[in-house]
Protein backbone atom coordinates (compact mmCIF):
# COMPACT_ATOMS: atom_id res chain seq x y z
CA UNK A 1 0.00 0.00 0.00
CA UNK A 2 1.54 3.30 -1.03
CA UNK A 3 1.77 6.11 1.49
CA UNK A 4 -0.68 8.95 0.99
CA UNK A 5 0.54 12.46 1.80
CA UNK A 6 -1.24 14.18 4.67
CA UNK A 7 -1.79 17.22 2.42
CA UNK A 8 -2.88 15.23 -0.64
CA UNK A 9 -6.54 16.38 -0.35
CA UNK A 10 -5.43 19.95 -1.11
CA UNK A 11 -4.51 18.84 -4.63
CA UNK A 12 -8.25 18.89 -5.31
CA UNK A 13 -9.30 22.45 -6.24
CA UNK A 14 -12.70 22.27 -4.57
CA UNK A 15 -11.15 21.27 -1.26
CA UNK A 16 -8.75 24.23 -1.36
CA UNK A 17 -11.75 26.58 -1.25
CA UNK A 18 -14.00 24.50 0.97
CA UNK A 19 -11.51 24.07 3.80
CA UNK A 20 -11.15 27.82 4.58
CA UNK A 21 -14.91 28.28 4.06
CA UNK A 22 -15.63 25.57 6.64
CA UNK A 23 -12.95 27.06 8.90
CA UNK A 24 -14.61 30.50 8.88
CA UNK A 25 -18.02 28.95 9.56
CA UNK A 26 -16.71 26.83 12.43
CA UNK A 27 -14.92 29.80 14.01
CA UNK A 28 -18.16 31.76 13.93
CA UNK A 29 -20.11 28.81 15.37
CA UNK A 30 -17.79 28.41 18.33
CA UNK A 31 -17.53 32.12 19.09
CA UNK A 32 -21.30 32.43 18.92
CA UNK A 33 -21.96 29.42 21.13
CA UNK A 34 -19.55 30.59 23.81
CA UNK A 35 -20.70 34.23 23.76
CA UNK A 36 -24.41 33.41 23.92
CA UNK A 37 -24.08 30.43 26.29
CA UNK A 38 -22.22 32.53 28.85
CA UNK A 39 -24.66 35.40 28.37
CA UNK A 40 -27.69 33.17 29.07
CA UNK A 41 -26.06 31.56 32.11
CA UNK A 42 -25.02 34.90 33.64
CA UNK A 43 -28.26 36.75 32.87
CA UNK A 44 -30.60 33.98 34.04
CA UNK A 45 -28.40 32.26 36.63
CA UNK A 46 -30.07 28.96 35.68
CA UNK A 47 -28.49 25.75 34.44
CA UNK A 48 -31.92 24.81 33.08
CA UNK A 49 -31.89 27.86 30.80
CA UNK A 50 -28.35 26.98 29.74
CA UNK A 51 -29.47 23.50 28.71
CA UNK A 52 -32.49 25.03 26.91
CA UNK A 53 -30.11 27.30 24.97
CA UNK A 54 -27.85 24.35 24.11
CA UNK A 55 -30.84 22.23 23.09
CA UNK A 56 -32.26 24.90 20.78
CA UNK A 57 -29.13 24.60 18.65
CA UNK A 58 -30.21 21.07 17.71
CA UNK A 59 -33.94 21.42 17.04
CA UNK A 60 -33.24 21.35 13.31
CA UNK A 61 -31.96 17.78 13.50
CA UNK A 62 -35.51 16.66 12.72
CA UNK A 63 -35.20 18.53 9.41
CA UNK A 64 -31.71 17.23 8.60
CA UNK A 65 -32.85 14.32 6.38
CA UNK A 66 -34.86 16.76 4.24
CA UNK A 67 -31.78 18.96 3.95
CA UNK A 68 -30.02 15.85 2.64
CA UNK A 69 -32.75 15.40 0.03
CA UNK A 70 -32.40 19.06 -0.97
CA UNK A 71 -28.63 18.68 -1.24
CA UNK A 72 -29.00 15.67 -3.53
CA UNK A 73 -31.44 17.64 -5.68
CA UNK A 74 -30.03 21.18 -5.92
CA UNK A 75 -26.38 20.48 -5.12
CA UNK A 76 -24.60 20.46 -1.78
CA UNK A 77 -22.66 23.64 -2.60
CA UNK A 78 -25.79 25.63 -3.43
CA UNK A 79 -27.50 24.48 -0.26
CA UNK A 80 -24.48 25.31 1.90
CA UNK A 81 -24.31 28.82 0.45
CA UNK A 82 -27.96 29.46 1.29
CA UNK A 83 -27.54 28.11 4.83
CA UNK A 84 -24.47 30.21 5.52
CA UNK A 85 -26.17 33.29 4.11
CA UNK A 86 -28.88 32.79 6.75
CA UNK A 87 -26.24 32.53 9.51
CA UNK A 88 -24.75 35.85 8.39
CA UNK A 89 -28.16 37.54 8.36
CA UNK A 90 -29.08 36.33 11.88
CA UNK A 91 -25.67 37.29 13.28
CA UNK A 92 -26.03 40.77 11.77
CA UNK A 93 -29.44 41.19 13.40
CA UNK A 94 -28.08 40.21 16.81
CA UNK A 95 -25.04 42.45 16.33
CA UNK A 96 -27.36 45.39 15.61
CA UNK A 97 -29.43 44.72 18.72
CA UNK A 98 -26.26 44.43 20.80
CA UNK A 99 -25.02 47.82 19.65
CA UNK A 100 -28.46 49.24 20.46
CA UNK A 101 -28.32 47.70 23.95
CA UNK A 102 -31.62 45.85 23.69
CA UNK A 103 -30.44 42.24 23.80
CA UNK A 104 -32.40 40.02 26.21
CA UNK A 105 -32.24 36.27 27.01
CA UNK A 106 -35.58 35.80 25.25
CA UNK A 107 -34.23 37.43 22.08
CA UNK A 108 -31.09 35.30 22.21
CA UNK A 109 -33.16 32.13 22.58
CA UNK A 110 -35.43 33.14 19.69
CA UNK A 111 -32.53 33.77 17.29
CA UNK A 112 -30.83 30.59 18.49
CA UNK A 113 -34.01 28.64 17.70
CA UNK A 114 -34.10 29.96 14.12
CA UNK A 115 -30.40 29.21 13.68
CA UNK A 116 -30.95 25.78 15.22
CA UNK A 117 -33.37 24.85 12.43
CA UNK A 118 -30.54 24.99 9.90
CA UNK A 119 -27.21 24.70 11.70
CA UNK A 120 -27.27 20.94 12.55
CA UNK A 121 -27.25 20.11 8.82
CA UNK A 122 -24.11 22.14 8.08
CA UNK A 123 -21.60 19.46 9.10
CA UNK A 124 -23.38 16.76 7.12
CA UNK A 125 -23.60 18.87 3.98
CA UNK A 126 -19.95 19.92 4.16
CA UNK A 127 -18.95 16.26 4.50
CA UNK A 128 -21.05 15.32 1.48
CA UNK A 129 -19.44 18.17 -0.49
CA UNK A 130 -15.97 16.84 0.37
CA UNK A 131 -16.95 13.36 -0.77
CA UNK A 132 -18.17 14.71 -4.14
CA UNK A 133 -14.65 15.59 -5.22
CA UNK A 134 -12.35 13.41 -3.12
CA UNK A 135 -10.92 10.05 -4.29
CA UNK A 136 -11.80 7.14 -2.02
CA UNK A 137 -8.26 6.43 -0.81
CA UNK A 138 -7.93 10.01 0.44
CA UNK A 139 -11.32 10.32 2.08
CA UNK A 140 -10.30 9.50 5.68
CA UNK A 141 -7.37 11.91 5.39
CA UNK A 142 -9.60 14.58 3.85
CA UNK A 143 -12.20 14.18 6.60
CA UNK A 144 -9.39 14.43 9.19
CA UNK A 145 -8.18 17.70 7.68
CA UNK A 146 -11.76 18.93 7.34
CA UNK A 147 -12.30 18.11 11.03
CA UNK A 148 -9.43 20.47 11.91
CA UNK A 149 -11.72 23.35 10.92
CA UNK A 150 -13.91 22.50 13.89
CA UNK A 151 -11.04 21.74 16.26
CA UNK A 152 -9.06 24.90 15.56
CA UNK A 153 -12.31 26.86 15.73
CA UNK A 154 -13.05 25.56 19.19
CA UNK A 155 -9.56 26.57 20.30
CA UNK A 156 -9.32 30.01 18.69
CA UNK A 157 -13.07 30.68 18.71
CA UNK A 158 -13.35 29.90 22.40
CA UNK A 159 -10.38 32.05 23.41
CA UNK A 160 -11.21 34.85 20.98
CA UNK A 161 -14.92 34.89 21.83
CA UNK A 162 -14.29 35.06 25.56
CA UNK A 163 -11.60 37.71 25.13
CA UNK A 164 -13.62 39.92 22.78
CA UNK A 165 -16.68 39.95 25.01
CA UNK A 166 -14.63 40.64 28.14
CA UNK A 167 -12.65 43.45 26.46
CA UNK A 168 -15.08 45.04 24.00
CA UNK A 169 -18.58 43.78 24.73
CA UNK A 170 -21.09 41.75 22.74
CA UNK A 171 -21.53 44.20 19.83
CA UNK A 172 -17.90 44.21 18.59
CA UNK A 173 -17.64 40.48 19.26
CA UNK A 174 -20.64 39.86 17.04
CA UNK A 175 -19.14 42.05 14.35
CA UNK A 176 -16.35 39.45 14.10
CA UNK A 177 -18.91 36.62 14.02
CA UNK A 178 -20.83 38.26 11.18
CA UNK A 179 -17.62 38.82 9.21
CA UNK A 180 -16.64 35.17 9.47
CA UNK A 181 -20.05 34.09 8.18
CA UNK A 182 -19.80 36.49 5.21
CA UNK A 183 -16.33 35.17 4.32
CA UNK A 184 -17.60 31.59 4.46
CA UNK A 185 -20.37 32.36 1.95
CA UNK A 186 -17.93 33.86 -0.55
CA UNK A 187 -15.50 30.94 -0.29
CA UNK A 188 -18.24 28.29 -0.47
CA UNK A 189 -19.33 29.76 -3.81
CA UNK A 190 -15.94 28.72 -5.22
CA UNK A 191 -16.06 25.15 -3.87
CA UNK A 192 -17.66 22.07 -5.37
CA UNK A 193 -19.99 22.22 -8.34
CA UNK A 194 -23.03 24.35 -9.05
CA UNK A 195 -24.83 21.25 -10.32
CA UNK A 196 -26.55 18.60 -8.19
CA UNK A 197 -24.51 15.45 -7.49
CA UNK A 198 -27.17 13.34 -9.23
CA UNK A 199 -27.68 14.33 -12.84
CA UNK A 200 -28.44 12.11 -15.76
CA UNK A 201 -27.61 8.63 -14.59
CA UNK A 202 -28.33 7.93 -10.98
CA UNK A 203 -25.21 8.48 -9.09
CA UNK A 204 -23.14 8.63 -12.19
CA UNK A 205 -22.12 12.25 -12.26
CA UNK A 206 -20.22 12.07 -9.02
CA UNK A 207 -17.78 9.56 -10.38
CA UNK A 208 -16.06 11.88 -12.86
CA UNK A 209 -15.61 14.49 -10.13
CA UNK A 210 -13.98 11.87 -7.91
CA UNK A 211 -11.43 11.06 -10.58
CA UNK A 212 -10.81 14.45 -12.16
CA UNK A 213 -7.09 15.20 -12.41
CA UNK A 214 -6.30 12.29 -10.09
CA UNK A 215 -6.04 9.21 -12.42
CA UNK A 216 -7.95 6.99 -10.01
CA UNK A 217 -10.73 5.69 -12.25
CA UNK A 218 -9.79 2.03 -11.89
CA UNK A 219 -12.36 -0.73 -11.63
CA UNK A 220 -10.88 -1.84 -8.31
CA UNK A 221 -11.15 1.67 -6.90
CA UNK A 222 -14.82 1.85 -7.81
CA UNK A 223 -15.49 -1.45 -6.09
CA UNK A 224 -13.61 -0.39 -2.98
CA UNK A 225 -15.46 2.88 -2.70
CA UNK A 226 -18.91 1.30 -2.64
CA UNK A 227 -18.52 -2.22 -1.27
CA UNK A 228 -22.05 -2.57 0.09
CA UNK A 229 -24.27 -0.44 -2.05
CA UNK A 230 -27.44 -1.67 -3.63
CA UNK A 231 -26.90 -4.01 -6.50
CA UNK A 232 -24.10 -6.39 -7.32
CA UNK A 233 -20.38 -5.72 -7.28
CA UNK A 234 -20.40 -6.04 -10.99
CA UNK A 235 -22.80 -3.17 -11.28
CA UNK A 236 -20.58 -1.05 -9.04
CA UNK A 237 -17.50 -1.67 -11.14
CA UNK A 238 -19.51 -0.62 -14.15
CA UNK A 239 -20.12 2.86 -12.77
CA UNK A 240 -17.29 4.60 -14.64
CA UNK A 241 -18.58 3.19 -17.92
CA UNK A 242 -22.09 4.44 -17.06
CA UNK A 243 -20.78 7.99 -16.71
CA UNK A 244 -19.31 8.16 -20.17
CA UNK A 245 -20.88 10.21 -22.92
CA UNK A 246 -23.32 7.40 -23.74
CA UNK A 247 -26.52 8.89 -22.41
CA UNK A 248 -28.89 5.99 -23.22
CA UNK A 249 -26.44 3.46 -21.83
CA UNK A 250 -26.11 5.52 -18.66
CA UNK A 251 -29.87 5.56 -18.20
CA UNK A 252 -30.11 1.85 -18.71
CA UNK A 253 -27.30 1.27 -16.25
CA UNK A 254 -29.07 3.38 -13.67
CA UNK A 255 -32.22 1.27 -14.06
CA UNK A 256 -30.24 -1.92 -13.58
CA UNK A 257 -28.33 -0.63 -10.57
CA UNK A 258 -31.15 0.91 -8.59
CA UNK A 259 -34.32 -1.15 -8.23
CA UNK A 260 -35.21 1.08 -5.28
CA UNK A 261 -35.58 4.19 -7.39
CA UNK A 262 -38.96 4.51 -9.09
CA UNK A 263 -38.89 5.33 -12.76
CA UNK A 264 -35.85 6.13 -14.83
CA UNK A 265 -33.24 8.09 -12.89
CA UNK A 266 -31.96 9.52 -16.14
CA UNK A 267 -35.27 11.27 -16.73
CA UNK A 268 -35.38 14.36 -14.48
CA UNK A 269 -39.04 15.00 -15.29
CA UNK A 270 -39.95 11.58 -13.86
CA UNK A 271 -38.14 12.24 -10.61
CA UNK A 272 -40.12 11.26 -7.48
CA UNK A 273 -41.26 13.77 -4.87
CA UNK A 274 -38.89 14.91 -2.10
CA UNK A 275 -40.87 12.88 0.43
CA UNK A 276 -40.40 9.78 -1.67
CA UNK A 277 -36.69 10.53 -1.92
CA UNK A 278 -36.62 10.81 1.87
CA UNK A 279 -38.44 7.50 2.34
CA UNK A 280 -36.01 5.80 -0.03
CA UNK A 281 -33.07 7.24 1.89
CA UNK A 282 -34.47 6.02 5.21
CA UNK A 283 -35.15 2.58 3.72
CA UNK A 284 -31.63 2.45 2.30
CA UNK A 285 -30.07 3.10 5.72
CA UNK A 286 -32.47 0.75 7.50
CA UNK A 287 -31.71 -2.12 5.10
CA UNK A 288 -27.92 -1.60 5.07
CA UNK A 289 -26.58 -3.16 8.30
CA UNK A 290 -23.29 -1.27 8.61
CA UNK A 291 -25.07 2.06 8.09
CA UNK A 292 -27.80 1.22 10.60
CA UNK A 293 -25.28 0.13 13.23
CA UNK A 294 -23.22 3.29 12.73
CA UNK A 295 -26.33 5.47 13.04
CA UNK A 296 -27.31 3.77 16.32
CA UNK A 297 -23.81 4.32 17.66
CA UNK A 298 -23.86 7.98 16.62
CA UNK A 299 -27.21 8.48 18.38
CA UNK A 300 -25.79 6.92 21.53
CA UNK A 301 -22.79 9.27 21.50
CA UNK A 302 -25.00 12.32 21.02
CA UNK A 303 -27.32 11.22 23.81
CA UNK A 304 -24.72 10.44 26.47
CA UNK A 305 -21.27 11.78 25.49
CA UNK A 306 -21.67 15.09 23.69
CA UNK A 307 -23.74 16.76 26.46
CA UNK A 308 -20.83 16.15 28.87
CA UNK A 309 -18.18 17.20 26.35
CA UNK A 310 -19.78 20.40 25.03
CA UNK A 311 -23.15 21.56 26.36
CA UNK A 312 -22.37 21.34 30.08
CA UNK A 313 -18.87 22.83 30.08
CA UNK A 314 -20.17 26.31 31.05
CA UNK A 315 -21.75 24.72 34.12
CA UNK A 316 -18.52 22.88 34.99
CA UNK A 317 -16.49 26.09 34.69
CA UNK A 318 -18.89 28.17 36.81
CA UNK A 319 -20.26 25.75 39.39
CA UNK A 320 -17.69 22.96 39.70
CA UNK A 321 -14.47 24.95 39.22
CA UNK A 322 -16.01 28.21 40.57
CA UNK A 323 -14.43 30.24 37.79
CA UNK A 324 -15.34 32.57 34.90
CA UNK A 325 -15.55 32.59 31.11
CA UNK A 326 -11.77 32.63 30.78
CA UNK A 327 -11.54 29.20 32.40
CA UNK A 328 -14.41 28.08 30.19
CA UNK A 329 -12.39 29.19 27.17
CA UNK A 330 -9.40 27.17 28.38
CA UNK A 331 -11.56 24.07 28.91
CA UNK A 332 -13.03 24.30 25.43
CA UNK A 333 -9.63 25.04 23.92
CA UNK A 334 -8.05 22.08 25.74
CA UNK A 335 -10.65 19.64 24.44
CA UNK A 336 -10.33 21.04 20.94
CA UNK A 337 -6.53 20.98 20.99
CA UNK A 338 -6.68 17.28 21.78
CA UNK A 339 -9.17 16.71 18.96
CA UNK A 340 -6.87 18.63 16.63
CA UNK A 341 -3.95 16.37 17.54
CA UNK A 342 -6.12 13.35 16.80
CA UNK A 343 -7.20 14.79 13.46
CA UNK A 344 -3.59 15.51 12.47
CA UNK A 345 -2.57 11.95 13.34
CA UNK A 346 -5.41 10.49 11.28
CA UNK A 347 -4.49 12.66 8.30
CA UNK A 348 -1.26 10.66 8.19
CA UNK A 349 -2.51 7.15 9.00
CA UNK A 350 -6.13 7.36 7.88
CA UNK A 351 -5.54 5.26 4.76
CA UNK A 352 -4.36 2.34 6.94
CA UNK A 353 -7.06 2.13 9.64
CA UNK A 354 -10.11 -0.10 9.89
CA UNK A 355 -12.76 2.62 10.25
CA UNK A 356 -15.73 0.87 11.91
CA UNK A 357 -13.68 -1.08 14.43
CA UNK A 358 -11.58 1.96 15.27
CA UNK A 359 -14.72 4.03 15.79
CA UNK A 360 -16.14 1.56 18.31
CA UNK A 361 -12.88 1.16 20.25
CA UNK A 362 -12.16 4.86 20.55
CA UNK A 363 -15.83 5.61 21.23
CA UNK A 364 -15.57 3.43 24.31
CA UNK A 365 -12.31 5.17 25.17
CA UNK A 366 -14.09 8.52 24.94
CA UNK A 367 -16.55 7.44 27.63
CA UNK A 368 -13.66 6.31 29.84
CA UNK A 369 -11.96 9.71 29.55
CA UNK A 370 -15.21 11.59 30.22
CA UNK A 371 -15.58 9.52 33.37
CA UNK A 372 -12.11 10.60 34.50
CA UNK A 373 -12.93 14.26 33.73
CA UNK A 374 -16.15 14.09 35.74
CA UNK A 375 -14.14 13.25 38.86
CA UNK A 376 -11.30 15.73 38.31
CA UNK A 377 -11.69 18.43 40.99
CA UNK A 378 -9.28 21.09 39.71
CA UNK A 379 -9.45 23.17 36.54
CA UNK A 380 -5.78 22.73 35.56
CA UNK A 381 -6.04 18.94 35.79
CA UNK A 382 -9.40 19.07 34.02
CA UNK A 383 -7.86 20.88 31.05
CA UNK A 384 -5.15 18.19 30.79
CA UNK A 385 -7.76 15.43 30.91
CA UNK A 386 -9.83 17.19 28.25
CA UNK A 387 -6.82 17.29 25.92
CA UNK A 388 -6.57 13.49 26.13
CA UNK A 389 -10.34 13.20 25.82
CA UNK A 390 -10.28 15.25 22.63
CA UNK A 391 -7.62 13.01 21.09
CA UNK A 392 -9.68 9.89 21.78
CA UNK A 393 -12.89 11.51 20.55
CA UNK A 394 -11.36 12.56 17.25
CA UNK A 395 -9.80 9.14 16.65
CA UNK A 396 -13.25 7.58 17.02
CA UNK A 397 -15.58 9.96 15.18
CA UNK A 398 -13.59 10.70 12.02
CA UNK A 399 -13.14 7.08 10.82
CA UNK A 400 -16.84 6.36 11.40
CA UNK A 401 -17.89 9.43 9.40
CA UNK A 402 -15.53 8.51 6.56
CA UNK A 403 -16.95 5.00 6.56
CA UNK A 404 -20.50 6.36 6.14
CA UNK A 405 -19.41 8.40 3.12
CA UNK A 406 -17.21 5.78 1.49
CA UNK A 407 -19.62 2.88 1.99
CA UNK A 408 -22.78 4.67 0.84
CA UNK A 409 -24.20 4.74 -2.66
CA UNK A 410 -23.37 8.11 -4.20
CA UNK A 411 -27.05 8.65 -5.07
CA UNK A 412 -27.95 8.54 -1.37
CA UNK A 413 -24.94 10.33 0.06
CA UNK A 414 -26.73 13.57 0.94
CA UNK A 415 -29.61 11.69 2.50
CA UNK A 416 -27.27 9.41 4.47
CA UNK A 417 -25.49 12.44 5.92
CA UNK A 418 -28.84 14.10 6.57
CA UNK A 419 -29.94 11.06 8.56
CA UNK A 420 -26.56 11.13 10.32
CA UNK A 421 -27.33 14.69 11.36
CA UNK A 422 -30.80 13.58 12.51
CA UNK A 423 -29.20 11.52 15.27
CA UNK A 424 -27.86 14.79 16.69
CA UNK A 425 -31.37 14.96 18.13
CA UNK A 426 -29.97 12.78 20.90
CA UNK A 427 -28.39 15.95 22.28
CA UNK A 428 -31.80 17.36 23.23
CA UNK A 429 -32.96 14.64 25.62
CA UNK A 430 -29.38 14.18 26.80
CA UNK A 431 -29.09 17.83 27.80
CA UNK A 432 -32.63 18.27 29.12
CA UNK A 433 -32.47 15.12 31.26
CA UNK A 434 -29.09 16.14 32.66
CA UNK A 435 -30.39 19.37 34.22
CA UNK A 436 -32.72 17.80 36.84
CA UNK A 437 -30.21 15.00 37.43
CA UNK A 438 -27.44 17.50 38.18
CA UNK A 439 -29.76 19.42 40.51
CA UNK A 440 -30.61 16.22 42.35
CA UNK A 441 -27.39 14.15 42.46
CA UNK A 442 -24.70 16.55 41.22
CA UNK A 443 -22.55 16.72 38.09
CA UNK A 444 -20.03 13.91 38.88
CA UNK A 445 -22.72 11.28 39.50
CA UNK A 446 -24.74 12.41 36.49
CA UNK A 447 -21.67 12.10 34.25
CA UNK A 448 -20.89 8.68 35.74
CA UNK A 449 -24.41 7.49 34.95
CA UNK A 450 -24.20 8.77 31.37
CA UNK A 451 -20.81 7.10 30.79
CA UNK A 452 -21.95 3.77 32.24
CA UNK A 453 -24.99 3.74 29.96
CA UNK A 454 -22.81 4.68 26.99
CA UNK A 455 -20.25 1.91 27.60
CA UNK A 456 -22.97 -0.72 28.05
CA UNK A 457 -24.72 0.16 24.80
CA UNK A 458 -21.43 0.47 22.89
CA UNK A 459 -20.73 -3.16 23.80
CA UNK A 460 -24.27 -4.10 22.75
CA UNK A 461 -23.85 -2.42 19.35
CA UNK A 462 -20.47 -4.11 18.79
CA UNK A 463 -22.05 -7.50 19.49
CA UNK A 464 -25.25 -6.89 17.52
CA UNK A 465 -23.45 -5.73 14.35
CA UNK A 466 -20.18 -7.60 14.88
CA UNK A 467 -20.25 -9.11 11.38
CA UNK A 468 -20.64 -5.71 9.74
CA UNK A 469 -18.75 -3.37 12.07
CA UNK A 470 -16.22 -5.47 13.97
CA UNK A 471 -15.02 -8.23 11.64
CA UNK A 472 -11.72 -7.12 10.01
CA UNK A 473 -12.84 -8.37 6.61
CA UNK A 474 -16.11 -6.42 6.63
CA UNK A 475 -16.48 -3.74 3.94
CA UNK A 476 -16.91 -1.14 6.67
CA UNK A 477 -13.38 -1.99 7.81
CA UNK A 478 -11.79 -1.90 4.36
CA UNK A 479 -8.55 0.09 4.26
Amino acid sequence: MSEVSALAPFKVRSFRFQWPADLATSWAFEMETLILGWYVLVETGSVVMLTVFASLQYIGTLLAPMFGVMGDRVGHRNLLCAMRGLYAALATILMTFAFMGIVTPALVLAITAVMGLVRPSDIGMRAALVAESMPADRLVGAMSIQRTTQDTARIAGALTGAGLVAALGMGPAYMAVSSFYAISVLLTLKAGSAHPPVAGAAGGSARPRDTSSEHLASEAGATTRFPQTAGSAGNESARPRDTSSKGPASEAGATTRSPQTAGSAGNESARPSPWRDLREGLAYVWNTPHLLGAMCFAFLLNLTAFPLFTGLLPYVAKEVYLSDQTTLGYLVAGASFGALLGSMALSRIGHAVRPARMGLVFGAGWYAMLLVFAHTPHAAAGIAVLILTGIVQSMGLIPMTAMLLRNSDVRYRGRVMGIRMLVLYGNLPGLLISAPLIARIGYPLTATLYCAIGLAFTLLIAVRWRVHLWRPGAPANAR
Side-chain angles (χ1 to χ4, degrees), residues 168-181:
L168 303 176
M170 182 179 286
Y174 248 87
M175 185 180 296
V177 172
S178 302
S179 299
F180 279 126
Y181 281 138

Side-chain angles (χ1 to χ4, degrees), residues 397-408:
L397 293 185
I398 294 173
M400 198 65 85
T401 301
M403 183 274 290
L404 287 175
L405 290 166
R406 189 177 65 182
N407 293 71
S408 298

Side-chain angles (χ1 to χ4, degrees), residues 315-367:
Y315 178 84
V316 174
K318 188 172 186 293
E319 303 296 337
V320 177
Y321 295 147
L322 303 177
S323 191
D324 57 12
Q325 67 262 45
T326 302
T327 298
L328 172 60
Y330 288 143
L331 290 173
V332 174
S336 303
F337 178 68
L340 177 62
L341 293 178
S343 300
M344 293 171 63
L346 275 175
S347 71
R348 293 289 301 174
I349 65 171
H351 63 283
V353 304
R354 299 192 184 279
R357 175 178 280 201
M358 188 173 184
L360 290 171
V361 170
F362 280 89
W366 188 18
Y367 283 117

Side-chain angles (χ1 to χ4, degrees), residues 185-208:
V185 173
L186 296 176
L187 289 172
T188 304
L189 286 170
K190 305 291 288 185
S193 170
H195 304 290
V198 179
S205 64
R207 189 65 64 178

Side-chain angles (χ1 to χ4, degrees), residues 264-318:
S264 171
N267 186 354
E268 291 296 327
S269 63
R271 195 166 194 174
S273 70
W275 293 108
R276 184 165 185 172
D277 280 351
L278 177 58
R279 288 196 301 271
E280 289 180 354
L282 291 169
Y284 174 67
V285 171
W286 182 263
N287 293 311
T288 308
H290 65 276
L291 298 183
L292 181 59
M295 294 296 182
C296 291
F297 185 53
F299 179 80
L300 175 66
L301 293 176
N302 280 279
L303 177 68
T304 55
F306 272 103
L308 304 178
F309 194 63
T310 56
L312 292 173
L313 281 185
Y315 178 84
V316 174
K318 188 172 186 293

Side-chain angles (χ1 to χ4, degrees), residues 60-267:
T61 53
L62 294 175
L63 303 177
M66 189 54 69
F67 274 92
V69 172
M70 292 168 60
D72 285 341
R73 284 174 165 255
V74 305
H76 301 117
R77 190 200 77 174
N78 297 336
L79 182 60
L80 268 178
C81 287
M83 293 164 63
R84 291 172 178 179
L86 177 63
Y87 308 154
L90 292 174
T92 302
I93 291 172
L94 195 50
M95 176 191 71
T96 303
F97 287 162
F99 277 120
M100 295 172 63
I102 57 175
V103 176
T104 63
L107 177 64
V108 168
L109 293 178
I111 291 180
T112 301
V114 177
M115 176 83 81
L117 292 173
V118 180
R119 180 171 162 176
S121 300
D122 192 276
I123 294 176
M125 292 304 100
R126 67 173 74 170
L129 185 59
V130 170
E132 278 187 26
S133 59
M134 197 59 55
D137 65 337
R138 301 180 187 180
L139 192 54
V140 174
M143 294 307 301
S144 302
I145 296 173
Q146 198 273 342
R147 171 60 191 262
T148 64
T149 64
Q150 302 170 56
D151 300 330
T152 57
R154 295 195 77 201
I155 298 171
L159 299 177
T160 304
L164 283 176
V165 172
L168 303 176
M170 182 179 286
Y174 248 87
M175 185 180 296
V177 172
S178 302
S179 299
F180 279 126
Y181 281 138
I183 291 170
S184 74
V185 173
L186 296 176
L187 289 172
T188 304
L189 286 170
K190 305 291 288 185
S193 170
H195 304 290
V198 179
S205 64
R207 189 65 64 178
R209 287 196 296 273
D210 289 343
T211 58
S212 59
S213 73
E214 299 297 337
H215 303 93
L216 293 169
S218 63
E219 297 291 342
T223 305
T224 303
R225 188 177 180 110
F226 304 106
Q228 275 206 342
T229 54
S232 66
N235 286 334
E236 288 297 335
S237 64
R239 279 189 189 276
R241 292 191 295 272
D242 289 343
T243 61
S244 67
S245 59
K246 303 173 184 178
S250 175
E251 186 173 338
T255 305
T256 303
R257 283 196 308 274
S258 179
Q260 291 176 301
T261 304
S264 171
N267 186 354

Side-chain angles (χ1 to χ4, degrees), residues 369-386:
M369 293 307 303
L370 287 172
L371 190 59
V372 173
F373 174 70
H375 295 275
T376 302
H378 304 294
I383 293 169
V385 172
L386 280 177

